[in-house]
């Protein structure tokens, strides 16, 4: 293997270690409590190595927040309204065990310190949820009266509140249950009867196998 | 006025100043960032004066969190489902301008540090919302299929998420709008048609005059 490739491989490995360490540190200490030197220590690399890959603590935090949606991939293939539900159940199931999602949840209430207002995680998730609901609408699963954007905002708000309260009460253990319950309350308002009878909000939709 | 009464009056005034200062400090710095000495400084009293009234920073924070519901008194008289809605709209309207409610909102995600698990603000508000929904049920305003406890949890979760995201995006300015929108989405699932036609979710329900 050529020398340049070896060097690049090592750089990529270091970058991944830094991001992983940042997720741990942000998840434990939040944005205000974290520092680049704590992240370097946790990763076992020099300060210079962190700054080679990221310009600042802000950039590291933005990176972790912006990656959240791509980490949530439902284990069961689905479309339309079922997919919208599956995304939330998968997130709820993974959150307690995924350091990146835990960091994202911890950073959400400090994000005005490092994320431009229009790129915050609420906007990001609302836009994904609205896309999923539009797909559901195209499949004629939603009532004509459904306000897609409003429902998307409600789902994201309710999931945010659920994860906060679930953390305080059960360290996120009952989060899938709370998310399923949210859909149970909401579906009669938005889904047509034929869709309602097909849709599953069973928590296992968020788990592989 | 007798000497003892004067003394008691002065003690009560000091206590109120301490609580007010605590709300300011918690609202700005959160639980972790606050300290009894910062609160004493803000109140313009000695450390001893604070400790005369409150044993610890924890007790001050618990006091502020537990007082939240009594601060939210809808300006327009109402009952049942309308009252449930009015409580949330009043909270949404007062939050940006009331230092006690702002402190409560800021403390919500740190409360596992000072509130016993079963007394947290989520439980507190959910129980109030469930009572209001049960009153609505007694007035035959709710569909028979409505799961009161589940809807109460959803409303509290959605309000929590809405206030967090509204803070990041508009410093709480659009919160009444987000809360009204939540009810707009949710009501078709829970209210019978005759109630739906009477209920108002106009933001002005949360404002006096």
């Amino acid at each position: 293997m050529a020398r340049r490739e070896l060097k690049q491989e090592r750089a990529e490995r270091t970058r991944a270690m830094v991001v992983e360490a940042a997720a741990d540190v942000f998840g434990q200490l939040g944005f205000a409590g974290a520092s680049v030197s704590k992240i370097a220590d946790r990763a076992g690399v020099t300060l210079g190595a962190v700054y080679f890959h990221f310009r600042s603590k802000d950039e590291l935090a933005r990176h972790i927040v912006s990656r959240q949606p791509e980490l949530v991939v439902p284990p069961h293939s689905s479309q339309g309204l079922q997919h919208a539900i599956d995304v939330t159940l998968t997130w709820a199931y993974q959150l307690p065990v995924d350091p990146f999602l835990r960091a994202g949840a911890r950073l959400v209430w400090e994000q005005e310190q490092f994320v431009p207002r229009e790129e915050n995680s609420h906007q990001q998730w609302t836009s994904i949820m609205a896309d999923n609901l539009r797909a559901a609408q195209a499949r004629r699963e939603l009532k004509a009266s459904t306000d897609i954007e409003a429902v998307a905002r409600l789902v994201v708000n309710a999931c945010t509140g659920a994860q906060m309260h679930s953390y305080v009460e059960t360290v996120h253990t009952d989060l899938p249950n709370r998310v399923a319950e949210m859909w149970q309350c909401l579906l009669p308002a938005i889904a047509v009867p034929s869709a309602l009878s097909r849709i599953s909000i069973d928590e296992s939709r968020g788990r592989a196998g």
Side-chain angles (χ1 to χ4, degrees), chain A residues 133-191:
Chain A
L133 291 173
R134 267 188 289 273
Q137 197 176 39
R139 293 162 57 89
R140 302 178 190 280
E141 296 174 326
L142 300 187
K143 291 184 182 173
S145 57
T146 305
D147 180 338
I148 300 269
E149 299 292 332
V151 172
R153 280 190 288 268
L154 170 56
V155 167
V156 175
N157 284 337
C159 284
T160 300
Q163 79 85 356
M164 289 191 57
H165 296 304
S166 166
Y167 179 73
V168 171
E169 291 173 26
T170 70
V171 202
H172 283 149
T173 311
D174 72 351
L175 187 55
N177 192 257
R178 290 179 187 234
V179 169
E181 181 180 86
M182 168 194 77
W183 286 111
Q184 184 81 52
C185 295
L186 195 55
L187 282 178
I190 65 168

Side-chain angles (χ1 to χ4, degrees), chain A residues 15-25 39 42-43 60 64 99-100:
Chain A
R15 190 176 191 279
M17 282 160 60
V18 168
V19 171
E20 226 167 279
D24 282 346
V25 173
I39 291 166
R42 180 75 56 104
L60 266 163
I64 284 172
F100 284 91

Side-chain angles (χ1 to χ4, degrees), chain A residues 15 19 62-74 87 90-91 94 98 100-101 124-125 128:
Chain A
R15 190 176 191 279
V19 171
R62 272 199 302 276
H63 177 71
I64 284 172
V65 167
S66 72
R67 274 192 60 194
Q68 302 285 302
E70 70 191 66
L71 299 171
V72 180
V73 180
V87 168
T90 305
W91 166 79
Q94 287 182 349
D98 184 323
F100 284 91
L101 294 182
Q124 187 185 23
W125 280 111
I128 289 167

